[in-house]
Amino acid sequence: MAFYELDSTALRALGKQLLPGRQLGTTGHFLGSVLGELGREDPVGKERLDSYLGALVPNALGVDERVEGRYSTVQVRFRAGTAGDGEEVFLRESLSEGTLLAAGVLTALFQPAAFAGRIPLIGIEEPETALHPAGVGAMYEALDDAAQRTQVIVTSQSSELLDNEYVKLEHVRAVANVDGVTYVGEIDAAGRTIVDKELMTLSELHRSGQMLPAQVGYPAPKH
């Protein structure tokens, strides 16, 4: 299993080039090497990753490995020119935290080790961190896509992440802390009914504070 709490400093760092088959580091080390292997071993998967990056980061065309001597890092291609038909490459020092974190999450999801079955479960802490709210919903589509090949679990407090047509009730587990005790479970019957009757979407249910886990015997949250 692989669990990720990505850090922009690690994602931006120069790293040794890895032997094929290695996976992305927990905080994002070896991002460039993993991207390079993905491009060589699975060009279609790399195109899919680049497409999702474009949905998450305005004008982004793709993220690639950049080799500097014996070391590996990343660069991102952006659309440029008044007509948007040009291309400009930004090196690691010039990349924003949001761009790096988006690239890191997508690489964790689409890395060759996951698609080859060597990582049966991927866990990611708050994959929407530093993304513009308008693009967060698109992240869920990437998560759903990767989940067709390996199990994916994410933790999040973002209502925007749930604002996507791919989100289903059975995908979501709610968390509540009551009197120092944490409860995790499927959304309770009241919440499910609200969503089933289309009175609210899942994102609206979460935003309203009515997304609670179905548990027996715990006291109602204090307001």
Side-chain angles (χ1 to χ4, degrees):
M1 297 182 288
F3 298 93
Y4 293 99
E5 188 171 1
L6 298 170
D7 176 77
S8 58
T9 300
L11 292 163
R12 198 190 307 271
L14 282 169
K16 293 182 179 179
Q17 292 179 278
L18 298 178
L19 294 173
R22 296 293 297 275
Q23 67 188 53
L24 185 69
T26 300
T27 57
H29 285 95
F30 316 122
L31 176 60
S33 287
V34 175
L35 281 168
E37 183 182 357
L38 178 62
R40 292 186 294 271
E41 300 295 326
D42 184 9
V44 174
K46 177 60 166 58
E47 288 180 10
R48 183 184 291 115
L49 185 155
D50 288 343
S51 177
Y52 282 123
L53 184 68
L56 296 171
V57 179
N59 295 316
L61 295 172
V63 56
D64 307 301
E65 178 183 29
R66 179 182 178 85
V67 176
E68 298 184 5
R70 295 181 299 166
Y71 295 92
S72 174
T73 184
V74 294
Q75 61 185 27
V76 177
R77 291 172 282 114
F78 284 91
R79 189 174 291 106
T82 55
D85 54 357
E87 182 176 301
E88 185 174 2
V89 174
F90 283 74
L91 306 185
R92 62 190 180 95
E93 300 91 342
S94 304
L95 297 174
S96 69
E97 181 181 27
T99 298
L100 284 165
L101 290 172
V105 170
L106 293 173
T107 303
L109 294 172
F110 292 95
Q111 59 186 308
F115 275 25
R118 296 193 299 274
I119 305 177
L121 185 148
I122 294 173
I124 303 177
E125 177 81 13
E126 298 186 337
E128 77 286 351
T129 299
L131 287 178
H132 190 282
V136 171
M139 176 63 78
Y140 199 96
E141 187 172 344
L143 296 168
D144 185 73
D145 189 346
Q148 308 307 310
R149 299 165 182 83
T150 188
Q151 187 174 8
V152 177
I153 298 176
V154 303
T155 61
S156 177
Q157 300 184 57
S158 170
S159 300
E160 287 78 13
L161 186 63
L162 300 174
D163 191 14
N164 186 283
E165 61 179 312
Y166 289 89
V167 182
K168 296 180 175 60
L169 277 166
E170 56 266 30
H171 292 172
V172 181
R173 297 295 181 268
V175 181
N177 185 286
V178 183
D179 295 333
V181 178
T182 299
Y183 298 89
V184 182
E186 295 183 350
I187 297 172
D188 67 7
R192 296 176 71 87
T193 299
I194 289 172
V195 174
D196 284 339
K197 291 185 176 181
E198 298 183 351
L199 301 176
M200 288 184 183
T201 64
L202 271 167
S203 62
E204 291 168 340
L205 185 73
H206 181 267
R207 194 174 288 112
S208 71
Q210 298 181 64
M211 185 178 286
L212 298 171
Q215 295 283 353
V216 178
Y218 71 88
K222 298 176 182 178
H223 297 287

